[in-house]
Amino acid sequence: MGDAQTNAVLFETELLELHRQQRTGRVTLRLRSDEDVVGLRKQVRERAVAIALSLVDQTKLVTAASELARNTIKYGGGGQAHLDDLNDGVRKGISLIFVDAGPGIADVDSALRDGFTTGGGLGLGFGGSRRLVDEFEVDSRFGEGTAVLVSKWKR
């Protein structure tokens, strides 16, 4: 893949600006392979440790990140993950935004329901990811792409 494709805007979504006022830093990683998922997990864990999330919350965030990264690759054909450091003046947090230019999700509500799958799995990952984080937003347009934002705040 050339640099032009790597740096191309995948899917225009307002989710990239949702936490703009609280964002103190952003790193963007590509998601194309299992190795990219491993690298993402490492970056998410390091950020979670840096803001002193509890071990349980670290594990929840890394698990959600891993699931959503794999979905980006499997169903979206690859994409990007944006890792945002957040500070709202009272607390610190981490926001992750997964973006792809895949076919989109035809029915987001069904996709979030446990047991729903189009990929032959158990159908627990997408909805399960929502339960592991403090904020969960989906922007998906059929035929254009999908963006999923998750956030975890230090308690």
Side-chain angles (χ1 to χ4, degrees):
M1 170 177 289
D3 287 340
Q5 287 180 307
T6 303
N7 296 325
V9 174
L10 296 173
F11 173 65
E12 302 258 349
T13 176
E14 294 179 5
L15 292 181
L16 289 170
E17 298 302 320
L18 187 64
H19 288 294
R20 184 179 192 170
Q21 299 298 322
Q22 296 91 23
R23 187 172 57 222
T24 60
R26 171 175 277 177
V27 171
T28 300
L29 304 174
R30 75 177 199 164
L31 295 172
R32 296 272 181 244
S33 67
D34 287 343
E35 290 78 20
D36 294 337
V37 175
V38 171
L40 169 78
R41 290 175 56 95
K42 181 177 182 286
Q43 291 262 345
V44 171
R45 173 79 67 189
E46 288 173 356
R47 282 174 162 67
V49 168
I51 66 166
L53 284 181
S54 70
L55 183 58
V56 170
D57 282 345
Q58 290 175 35
T59 302
K60 287 179 177 179
L61 185 60
V62 171
T63 300
S66 183
E67 178 64 28
L68 295 171
R70 291 188 193 289
N71 284 354
T72 299
I73 294 168
K74 183 174 182 178
Y75 300 108
Q80 295 177 333
H82 304 271
L83 288 63
D84 291 350
D85 299 320
L86 306 176
N87 186 333
D88 67 2
V90 176
R91 60 193 176 151
K92 293 181 178 178
I94 299 168
S95 183
L96 311 171
I97 309 160
F98 299 86
V99 182
D100 69 63
I105 302 170
D107 183 346
V108 172
D109 290 335
S110 292
L112 287 167
R113 197 173 43 237
D114 285 346
F116 180 87
T117 182
T118 59
L122 296 175
L124 299 172
F126 198 46
S129 294
R130 179 171 60 174
R131 290 188 293 272
L132 295 172
V133 296
D134 299 324
E135 298 173 31
F136 187 96
E137 300 282 340
V138 178
D139 179 8
S140 186
R141 284 168 285 202
F142 193 68
E144 295 182 39
T146 299
V148 179
L149 177 146
V150 297
S151 299
K152 195 79 175 165
W153 294 93
K154 179 170 174 34
R155 299 182 193 285

